[in-house]
Amino acid sequence: HTQPIVDSLLDACLAKGEFDWVKDVCEMMPIRVFVKVFGAPDADATYLAKLANQLVAIDDPDLAPPPEAYERAQARGFELHQLPFRSPAALDLFDYARDLCEARRVEPKDDLITRLVQAEWEGDRLTDSELVNICQLLVFAGNETTRNSLASGMQAFIDNPDQLDLLNRDRSLMKGAIDEILRWATPIYCFRRTAMEDVVVRGTQIKKGDKVVIYYTSANFDEEVFDDPTRFDITRDSSAQVVFGGGGPHYCLGAFMARMQIETLFTTVLDRGLQLQAAGPTTRLRTNFSNGLKTMPVRVVNG
């Protein structure tokens, strides 16, 4: 599904000459790929992208949920601390997922929603609450993180055109380039975890049950792991990046899809001989959770 989506988005952008790399490509590509796998109608991609933005950018003046969304949540008896990311957009995603799951119970299809609805292990099935929470997580995780990686990756190539030229001349560097894009982008700043046992980290005692915050940005720019970490270098070994987690039960299930989308988009850019340059200042999301760009105006200078 991915290549036709990339081609159609780039065709529409190239027809304009100047466009917004974030809004016109990065925001729409992952969600359109996702709805294909998810089993949602293609026409709902824009709506789901808007909800995904509202889910994570509650402090951003341009993307935050409108006041009436908070009023609807309160009218339904929900306090903000009960909602994922304290966002009322979570309720809209829950409602959307619930309707879609019910539709697949009535009319199963060859899609992810149907498999979730029908999933069974030793007689145990997902509850309605578990289903809508999984769907909400998939909409966010399958869209926001990949979008941020695609945006930061292109910004890095615009700022370092020698790296894009090197990748174009030697496509065998693509796998390493994807890891470097992921490291450089680090689409999520941090996560909170609970210590499962007593441990000492760099002289600091952490006890079992303590709440700890892990900063992916710190790990991905650790000078003890990556030489000159503030340099974007597709030839370095960035396989130690921890964008998808450090392994174990929390490792990202969508890692393959994220890598596939990054490779497809930048391979297509190279195959088309596209060279982009900034056409205005970029703006960043106002959030302490998601490391994302909000706008990135560019123009085609070749291709």
Side-chain angles (χ1 to χ4, degrees):
H1 300 303
T2 305
Q3 189 64 59
I5 290 171
V6 170
D7 288 336
S8 66
L9 290 173
L10 289 180
D11 286 344
C13 290
L14 296 178
K16 295 188 289 187
E18 289 193 11
F19 57 95
D20 192 308
W21 180 256
V22 173
K23 292 184 177 180
D24 296 334
V25 179
C26 304
E27 184 173 298
M28 294 312 303
M29 177 187 163
I31 200 67
R32 286 180 60 180
V33 172
F34 174 76
V35 297
K36 288 288 188 183
V37 177
F38 197 56
D42 291 343
D44 291 349
T46 300
Y47 174 67
L48 291 174
K50 181 184 74 172
L51 291 184
N53 283 336
Q54 292 181 355
L55 191 67
V56 71
I58 59 171
D59 295 319
D60 191 288
D62 297 318
L63 300 177
E68 53 268 26
Y70 290 92
E71 294 170 2
R72 289 199 305 271
Q74 291 179 335
R76 292 174 61 174
F78 287 93
E79 298 294 335
L80 291 185
H81 71 271
Q82 297 175 303
L83 300 174
F85 303 102
R86 297 182 294 113
S87 173
L91 287 180
D92 293 326
L93 279 170
F94 289 162
D95 292 342
Y96 181 91
R98 186 173 291 107
D99 291 344
L100 193 57
C101 288
E102 186 57 36
R104 290 299 176 270
R105 288 191 180 98
V106 176
E107 185 180 353
K109 293 186 178 182
D110 184 18
D111 56 33
L112 180 58
I113 284 293
T114 299
R115 295 194 178 196
L116 288 173
V117 168
Q118 296 179 342
E120 183 176 336
W121 178 259
E122 296 182 348
D124 189 21
R125 292 196 172 207
L126 294 170
T127 65
D128 287 346
S129 178
E130 289 170 334
L131 279 170
V132 297
N133 275 282
I134 288 174
C135 291
Q136 177 268 135
L137 176 62
L138 290 173
V139 169
F140 165 73
N143 172 66
E144 185 72 18
T145 53
T146 304
R147 159 191 160 166
N148 293 345
S149 298
L150 297 174
S152 292
M154 179 53 77
Q155 184 183 47
F157 280 128
I158 289 176
D159 292 341
N160 303 273
D162 61 305
Q163 295 297 295
L164 187 63
D165 181 61
L166 178 60
L167 182 59
N168 189 37
R169 288 185 283 109
D170 185 359
R171 301 295 181 87
S172 69
L173 294 172
M174 181 61 78
K175 183 178 184 297
I178 293 171
D179 271 325
E180 178 67 351
I181 289 170
L182 290 165
R183 182 192 75 85
W184 186 262
T186 310
I188 299 298
Y189 289 125
C190 59
F191 251 98
R192 194 200 77 179
R193 298 296 186 206
T194 302
M196 301 300 292
E197 59 185 50
D198 293 349
V199 64
V200 177
V201 179
R202 294 289 180 104
T204 298
Q205 174 70 55
I206 299 174
K207 296 182 178 181
K208 179 179 180 180
D210 282 352
K211 307 299 182 183
V212 296
V213 177
I214 52 177
Y215 280 87
Y216 298 113
T217 45
S218 179
N220 282 338
F221 287 82
D222 186 345
E223 64 277 2
E224 295 184 12
V225 179
F226 305 102
D227 292 334
D228 193 7
T230 58
R231 185 185 77 251
F232 182 71
D233 181 4
I234 66 170
T235 65
R236 78 162 81 236
D237 180 5
S238 297
S239 59
Q241 56 81 18
V242 294
V243 166
F244 301 119
H250 293 297
Y251 190 78
C252 177
L253 293 176
F256 169 78
M257 282 191 65
R259 291 180 182 276
M260 177 270 294
Q261 290 184 68
I262 294 170
E263 180 173 4
T264 302
L265 179 59
F266 286 105
T267 296
T268 305
V269 166
L270 293 174
D271 287 347
R272 291 190 177 205
L274 298 181
Q275 294 182 22
L276 305 179
Q277 68 176 203
T282 61
T283 58
R284 304 193 66 84
L285 289 171
R286 181 178 174 180
T287 168
N288 64 357
F289 177 71
S290 179
N291 181 21
L293 298 174
K294 187 164 56 176
T295 61
M296 183 179 168
V298 298
R299 68 172 59 92
V300 180
V301 293
N302 186 33

